[in-house]
Amino acid sequence: MDSATLLAIDRAHAWHPYTAPLDRDPVYPVRAARGCELELCDGRVLIDGMASWWCAIHGYNHPVLNQAARAQLDQMAHVMFGGLTHEPAMRLVRTLVELTPEPLQHVFLCDSGSVAVEVAIKMALQFWIAAGRPERHRLLTIRSGYHGDTFNAMSVCDPVTGMHQLFNRVLPQQVFAPAPSCRFGEACAEADIAPVAELLARHRHELAAVILEPIVQGAGGMRFYSADYLRQVRELCDQYDVLLIADEIATGFGRTGRLFACEHAGIAPDILTLGKALTGGYVTLAATLASQRVAHGIASGAPGMFMHGPTFMGNPLACAIANASIELLLAHDWAANIQRLEHGLNTGLAPARTLAGVAEVRVLGGIGVVELEQPVPMREIQRQLVERGVWVRPFGRLVYLMPPYVITDAQLAHLCAAVVAVLGEQVEQAE
Ligand code: PMP
């Protein structure tokens, strides 16, 4: 199909993430992707700064992942998981239990990040129903969070600055603490944790769980907060016997420099959600892990089963690719590689620090963020970045990078230089 036809169909019929059907924003026809590069239909090749939103950690078209997919296709692409079990899923379940903190022993495989969050919330609610405490049905979360686009997930996104305000009237009403102001690497000030303590004390009789993104608040602002804060939230959850759900859909599998971001604080959640990089970005798969206490609690109450069971649960093809992706990650010194990315992002983005209009540049692991004082004209900046041969999706006041882990030093330098140059030109035009 030629690009003009593709674009015509797209304009007439396709919905993209957070767009209107008649959107006139540019979309770029892409025909292939390999390594850290996207090849557009017009032949231009772009260095990918997004890893398809945290996912494609090994880059695109990786021979090991391709081979895992092919081998599994020849074996069995899908069977329903009800009453049947299989090696790809069992290998994955065992690996996830081994890699995550010890209390997490029970794995629910589902289809997407939002569904994994939905499952996590339902687990927390059902745990308290089974315990004879159905009134414990609310969640406490922190502002600037993002947990997905389904109804319960939307209810714990930031209710004011988030993307779902439109639905506030019909969403479950949750309890919100202010976003922590203590930064990653800093101690947590009393003023940061006191509101969480106060809200937990006040609402403890109706709270099922606290849900948060550990260390990195992603789509809600790309903020990196103190590990000390996370540690204290865990302690408060213990004190008030409220479950802790850690949403590691974005941070899981090494992005922050630890395999899971909870490790920065040395804590274990009661429920953990994983997605995105789980399959190296090849196919959609997510997982919700629960502690023995949660799983056994659910099993001990009526109806004695967890009330969720998606059609594509435990899809063998997705599981086989996830197994290959995790093996590939662990086969290398991934932590040293993330340090290399952190160094490259720090060095490459440093010149942005002195640009007028730049509020802050922050880097953690394989994440680099340039925060501007004013929202950027996103589409225009993106167009200029494409002209410079890089693929980045600025959002609001943020230009952020989370490249595939396989990006070379030279590609990373090019990526950062393009961002700095385009933002520099933007500032000049504004003056
Ligand atoms: N939780 C977090 C922390 C996320 O970053 C996202 C996706 N941006 C989700 C949940 C939702 O995942 P999905 O888009 O796969 O539904």
Side-chain angles (χ1 to χ4, degrees):
M1 190 183 286
D2 62 68
S3 289
T5 313
L6 198 152
L7 282 171
I9 298 172
D10 189 292
R11 285 284 180 240
H13 303 295
W15 232 307
H16 289 262
Y18 289 97
T19 59
L22 297 176
D23 217 324
R24 287 286 159 253
D25 285 342
V27 284
Y28 298 86
V30 59
R31 68 178 169 215
R34 67 188 74 79
C36 200
E37 291 177 344
L38 307 176
E39 185 186 307
L40 299 185
C41 291
D42 61 12
R44 283 182 291 176
V45 172
L46 309 179
I47 297 171
D48 176 30
M50 302 302 294
S52 288
W53 275 332
W54 316 85
C55 295
I57 55 175
H58 306 296
Y60 303 91
N61 214 341
H62 195 289
V64 171
L65 300 189
N66 289 2
Q67 179 48 33
R70 276 191 211 103
Q72 187 56 43
L73 268 179
D74 288 341
Q75 207 65 31
M76 165 170 77
H78 184 63
V79 286
M80 73 175 284
F81 208 47
L84 295 171
T85 192
H86 46 78
E87 186 176 328
M90 288 315 101
R91 282 181 51 209
L92 181 59
V93 162
R94 186 177 59 193
T95 304
L96 293 179
V97 167
E98 280 168 6
L99 292 179
T100 55
E102 206 259 316
L104 301 168
Q105 292 289 322
H106 299 274
V107 184
F108 192 102
L109 296 169
C110 52
D111 354 44
S112 73
S114 299
V115 173
V117 168
E118 218 64 31
V119 165
I121 293 174
K122 283 175 72 175
M123 280 179 178
L125 264 54
Q126 213 182 311
F127 171 81
W128 289 112
I129 293 169
R133 303 286 307 277
E135 72 283 4
R136 295 189 67 160
H137 67 281
R138 294 183 75 190
L139 298 154
L140 187 152
T141 188
I142 50 181
R143 297 276 312 269
S144 296
Y146 178 82
H147 297 281
D149 293 342
T150 49
F151 266 78
N152 272 306
M154 285 197 291
S155 79
V156 287
C157 295
D158 192 297
V160 179
T161 60
M163 296 182 262
H164 306 116
Q165 286 176 43
L166 206 58
F167 300 103
N168 279 353
R169 204 162 50 88
V170 290
L171 291 176
Q173 293 303 298
Q174 313 296 14
V175 179
F176 289 88
S181 60
C182 45
R183 307 299 188 87
F184 184 76
E186 294 175 3
C188 168
E190 180 57 25
D192 272 314
I193 199 70
V196 183
E198 193 272 317
L199 288 168
L200 269 166
R202 178 149 37 111
H203 293 280
R204 65 178 181 274
H205 300 301
E206 55 173 352
L207 284 178
V210 170
I211 180 168
L212 46 70
E213 296 155 277
I215 306 297
V216 176
Q217 292 188 291
M222 300 301 286
R223 307 169 86 251
F224 311 150
Y225 67 84
S226 158
D228 194 23
Y229 175 89
L230 181 56
R231 209 173 299 120
Q232 292 194 45
V233 171
R234 172 73 269 184
E235 282 166 18
L236 286 166
C237 286
D238 290 340
Q239 186 182 335
Y240 292 107
D241 195 20
V242 170
L243 301 174
L244 178 63
I245 303 172
D247 179 353
E248 295 237 22
I249 286 161
T251 51
F253 302 102
R255 181 61 70 176
T256 68
R258 299 292 178 97
L259 201 52
F260 301 104
C262 281
E263 293 172 21
H264 289 284
I267 62 127
D270 302 285
I271 301 174
L272 173 74
T273 57
L274 300 171
K276 291 192 186 276
L278 178 58
T279 61
Y282 261 51
V283 285
T284 177
L285 179 70
T288 307
L289 281 80
S291 69
Q292 215 146 54
R293 179 185 178 219
V294 170
H296 290 188
I298 289 170
S300 70
M305 60 177 118
F306 178 54
M307 300 306 288
H308 206 97
T311 306
F312 285 99
M313 186 171 184
N315 173 255
L317 184 58
C319 291
I321 299 171
N323 288 325
S325 174
I326 297 171
E327 263 173 44
L328 193 59
L329 179 70
L330 301 181
H332 300 98
D333 190 350
W334 61 268
N337 189 42
I338 296 292
Q339 275 174 18
R340 177 183 69 84
L341 260 61
E342 189 172 76
H343 177 74
L345 287 165
N346 261 320
T347 315
L349 293 177
R353 291 200 158 90
T354 53
L355 290 177
V358 169
E360 189 178 59
V361 175
R362 49 185 181 268
V363 174
L364 175 64
I367 315 165
V369 183
V370 181
E371 181 162 344
L372 300 150
E373 281 156 9
Q374 301 295 330
V376 288
M378 170 172 158
R379 308 302 178 206
E380 175 53 20
I381 295 230
Q382 173 144 48
R383 192 189 59 73
Q384 292 175 23
L385 287 165
V386 167
E387 271 175 21
R388 286 177 184 269
V390 302
W391 182 246
V392 181
R393 294 282 289 168
F395 179 71
R397 293 190 296 117
L398 303 172
V399 181
Y400 55 95
L401 305 175
M402 66 262 285
Y405 298 171
V406 294
I407 192 167
T408 65
D409 290 342
Q411 286 172 324
L412 189 52
H414 182 130
L415 181 61
C416 294
V419 167
V420 171
V422 167
L423 290 180
E425 280 168 16
Q426 197 66 33
V427 170
E428 271 169 31
Q429 278 165 18
E431 278 169 355

